[in-house]
C-alpha cells in the first residue's frame, strides 16, 4: 500500500523556537497534501491544504504566519511551527492524496513545547 | 458547524459480535465517504470507502452502508475482534464539486471485549 512518512515522530522544544515537520509520500506523487492537528480525545482538525508549487490554503482560525507550509515537490510537504508556545503542543498529522481519491496518513508528530 | 457527526463517542462490543459505527453528514455536496481506524499516537489508516453512486461496499469483515436520503452512513464489522479496538473516524469529501478536502467526524472509540 501507499506509504507516507512523517518525521520526526516526537519533538520537545523550548518556547520561542521553531520546529519543522516533514511529510513525504514514498511511493506516489502527491500534488495535494493536508495537515491536521489533533487534541487528545478530539477529531482531526484540518489546518491547511498544501498544493505543490503554490501557496497553502489555510482553514479559518489557523495562523498562516505561525504555521508555515511548503510543498516544494510532489513528494514533500513541510510544516514549520514558528515561535512555538506551550499552547501549540499537539499531535500533528499529515496526509497525502493519491489519485485524487484516497488519503494516506503519516504516523504523526507529537509536539511538546516547554 | 460540524458537517460530519459521529454521535456515539464510544462503543463496547463482545468479541465475535457485530460492531456498528454510525456517521451523519449535513452537506449534500459530499459524494465520497471513507472510514479510518486510528490507534493512539499513530496516524489514521484507511479502512474502506464508498462513493455516493453506491449504497453498500464490502471488504472482508468490513461493510459500509450509505443512505443518501438520510445523509447517513454506517460501518459494520463482523465478526468483531479484540484487535479492532481503536478509534474510528468517518470522513466525507465533495469530489464532484472539485474539492478534495476531507471533513472528519469526531470519532467513535470501539472496544471489543474478549
Amino acid at each position: 500500500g501507499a506509504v507516507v512518512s512523517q518525521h520526526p515522530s516526537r519533538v520537545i522544544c523550548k518556547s520561542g523556537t521553531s520546529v519543522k515537520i516533514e511529510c513525504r509520500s514514498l511511493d506516489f506523487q502527491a500534488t495535494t497534501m493536508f495537515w491536521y492537528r489533533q487534541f487528545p480525545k478530539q477529531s482531526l482538525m484540518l489546518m491547511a491544504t498544501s498544493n505543490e508549487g503554490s501557496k497553502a490554503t489555510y482553514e479559518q482560525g489557523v495562523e498562516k504566519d505561525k504555521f508555515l507550509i511548503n510543498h516544494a515537490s510532489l513528494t514533500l510537504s513541510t510544516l514549520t511551527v514558528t515561535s512555538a508556545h506551550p499552547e501549540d503542543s499537539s499531535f500533528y498529522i499529515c496526509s497525502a492524496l493519491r489519485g485524487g481519491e484516497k488519503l494516506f496518513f503519516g504516523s504523526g508528530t507529537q509536539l511538546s513545547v516547554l | 458547524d460540524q458537517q460530519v457527526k459521529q454521535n456515539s463517542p464510544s462503543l463496547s462490543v463482545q468479541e465475535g459480535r457485530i460492531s456498528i459505527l454510525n456517521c451523519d453528514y449535513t452537506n449534500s455536496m459530499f459524494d465520497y465517504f471513507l472510514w479510518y481506524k486510528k490507534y493512539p499516537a499513530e496516524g489514521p489508516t484507511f479502512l474502506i470507502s464508498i462513493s455516493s453512486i453506491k449504497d453498500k461496499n464490502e471488504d472482508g469483515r468490513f461493510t459500509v452502508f450509505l443512505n443518501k436520503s438520510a445523509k447517513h452512513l454506517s460501518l459494520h464489522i463482523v465478526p468483531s475482534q479484540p484487535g479492532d479496538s481503536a478509534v474510528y473516524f468517518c470522513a466525507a469529501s465533495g469530489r464532484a464539486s472539485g474539492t478534495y478536502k476531507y471533513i472528519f467526524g469526531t470519532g467513535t472509540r470501539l472496544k471489543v471485549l474478549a
Side-chain angles (χ1 to χ4, degrees), chain B residues 27 41 52 77 87 113:
Chain B
N27 192 336
S52 60
I77 306 173
V87 177
L113 307 170

Side-chain angles (χ1 to χ4, degrees), chain A residues 34 38 43 59 100-101 103 106, chain B residues 32 36 38 43 95 100 102 105:
Chain A
F34 301 92
Q38 186 183 27
S43 186
E59 294 300 300
E101 191 170 277
L103 278 181
Chain B
Y32 190 62
Y36 286 84
K38 186 181 183 300
R95 290 182 301 166
Y100 295 107
Y102 285 70

Side-chain angles (χ1 to χ4, degrees), chain B residues 58-80:
Chain B
E58 196 170 350
D59 184 2
R61 296 187 296 116
F62 302 93
T63 303
V64 56
F65 295 91
L66 175 62
N67 182 334
K68 282 187 295 184
S69 60
K71 294 191 178 67
H72 176 85
L73 63 153
S74 60
L75 173 68
H76 292 207
I77 306 173
V78 181
S80 301

Side-chain angles (χ1 to χ4, degrees), chain A residues 46-106:
Chain A
L46 179 64
M47 297 175 65
T49 302
S50 168
N51 294 300
E52 187 266 337
S54 63
K55 290 183 179 180
T57 303
Y58 290 82
E59 294 300 300
Q60 192 173 10
V62 178
E63 299 175 60
K64 61 181 180 181
D65 294 330
K66 180 161 191 63
F67 299 100
L68 299 178
I69 291 172
N70 184 280
H71 193 159
S73 78
L74 287 171
T75 59
L76 174 64
S77 177
T78 60
L79 167 68
T80 302
V81 183
T82 62
S83 187
H85 290 283
E87 58 265 30
D88 299 324
S89 299
S90 190
F91 191 62
Y92 293 87
I93 307 174
C94 71
S95 68
L97 188 65
R98 189 185 76 174
E101 191 170 277
K102 287 194 176 65
L103 278 181
F104 292 90
F105 286 83

